């Protein structure tokens, strides 16, 4: 479904979420294709991005998406940037963590309680 078709849907974000929630099947689209479609859609939300594997968001998405989220999350904290650099050393054969799990691992404080 294209973004133009999603424009006509009453809740395009819900459609994208249904794609992320669908079981992986090789019949229609692979998980990778679903992730790419969600990231590339103008209807995605931060909640959608947080569910996608971190390596796909960091290495294969539009840089302006990743940069904005990382700047919002890490701000001026050198500790968070150092934690991000350390966390990005994951191996391809390791268990995939979501972008949200990666951001949550930067420090134990809830995002709402952080100050910059």
């Amino acid at each position: 479904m294209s973004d133009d078709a999603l424009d006509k849907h009453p809740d395009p974000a819900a459609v994208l979420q249904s794609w992320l929630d669908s079981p992986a099947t090789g019949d229609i689209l692979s998980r990778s294709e679903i992730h790419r479609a969600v990231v590339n859609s103008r209807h995605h939300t931060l909640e959608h991005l947080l569910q996608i594997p971190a390596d796909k968001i960091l290495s294969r998405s539009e840089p302006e998406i990743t940069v904005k989220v990382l700047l919002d999350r890490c701000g001026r904290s050198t500790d968070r940037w150092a934690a991000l650099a350390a966390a990005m050393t994951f191996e391809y054969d390791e268990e995939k963590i979501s972008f949200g799990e990666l951001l949550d691992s930067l420090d134990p404080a809830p995002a709402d309680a952080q100050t910059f």
Side-chain angles (χ1 to χ4, degrees):
M1 188 177 259
S2 69
D3 272 348
D4 292 336
L6 284 171
D7 288 341
K8 297 172 186 162
H9 193 277
D11 191 355
V15 173
L16 295 180
Q17 186 61 52
S18 73
W19 295 353
L20 291 171
D21 293 342
S22 68
T25 62
D27 296 342
I28 300 171
L29 294 173
S30 71
R31 284 319 273 162
S32 186
E33 290 169 319
I34 291 169
H35 293 150
R36 187 175 21 258
V38 170
V39 169
N40 291 335
S41 174
R42 66 177 170 260
H43 297 286
H44 72 249
T45 66
L46 178 58
E47 283 302 313
H48 293 130
L49 299 179
L50 295 177
Q51 298 171 58
I52 294 174
D55 65 329
K56 292 186 189 296
I57 294 291
L58 294 171
S59 65
R60 299 181 191 124
S61 71
E62 297 299 317
E64 61 271 5
I65 294 170
T66 307
V67 169
K68 180 182 179 341
V69 173
L70 292 176
L71 286 173
D72 289 346
R73 179 69 175 121
C74 295
R76 295 177 184 247
S77 171
T78 55
D79 290 340
R80 286 190 200 115
W81 286 108
L84 176 64
M88 289 176 56
T89 63
F90 49 82
E91 297 291 327
Y92 285 104
D93 59 346
E94 290 182 16
E95 181 179 338
K96 301 287 185 192
I97 63 169
S98 70
F99 188 48
E101 291 169 326
L102 175 69
L103 293 178
D104 289 346
S105 75
L106 299 183
D107 67 43
D112 294 342
Q114 295 172 1
T115 57
F116 300 101

